[in-house]
Amino acid sequence: MTQIDLTLTELEQGWHQSADYFSCNYCDAHFACDQVFPVDDAFYPAERMIQHHLQTAHPDATHLLIQTANSIINPNRN
């Protein structure tokens, strides 16, 4: 999926869902919908895990969102 295929909500939240995965918009991280993931002393379902991933791996998501929006609006601009 390219950035242009994402909805506004998906761009704002930083992740998107396919039939099988919750996937990060900023990197290749993805979490299978039918699995749970251990973090510290807890287990998270995939939707909570993608949110945890964004908070820990991409804490400056607002900046990333602006960069993403700029790349969509001005795809040939350096």
Side-chain angles (χ1 to χ4, degrees):
M1 178 174 287
T2 65
Q3 295 289 345
I4 202 76
D5 295 330
L6 299 174
T7 67
L8 180 58
T9 298
E10 291 168 335
L11 287 170
E12 290 174 342
Q13 68 192 9
W15 57 270
H16 59 278
Q17 183 180 3
S18 66
D20 299 320
Y21 295 97
F22 287 88
S23 300
C24 180
N25 294 347
Y26 308 117
C27 69
D28 292 331
H30 57 274
F31 303 93
C33 293
D34 61 350
Q35 294 183 358
V36 293
F37 301 86
V39 176
D40 300 325
D41 292 332
F43 289 90
Y44 294 144
E47 184 173 5
R48 175 63 184 101
M49 191 61 205
I50 192 68
Q51 294 166 355
H52 175 76
H53 166 76
L54 287 168
Q55 291 169 354
T56 57
H58 309 293
D60 192 12
T62 302
H63 177 71
L64 293 171
L65 178 59
I66 291 168
Q67 285 181 324
T68 300
N70 285 337
S71 70
I72 291 169
I73 294 167
N74 300 308
N76 297 321
R77 188 173 177 186
N78 292 329

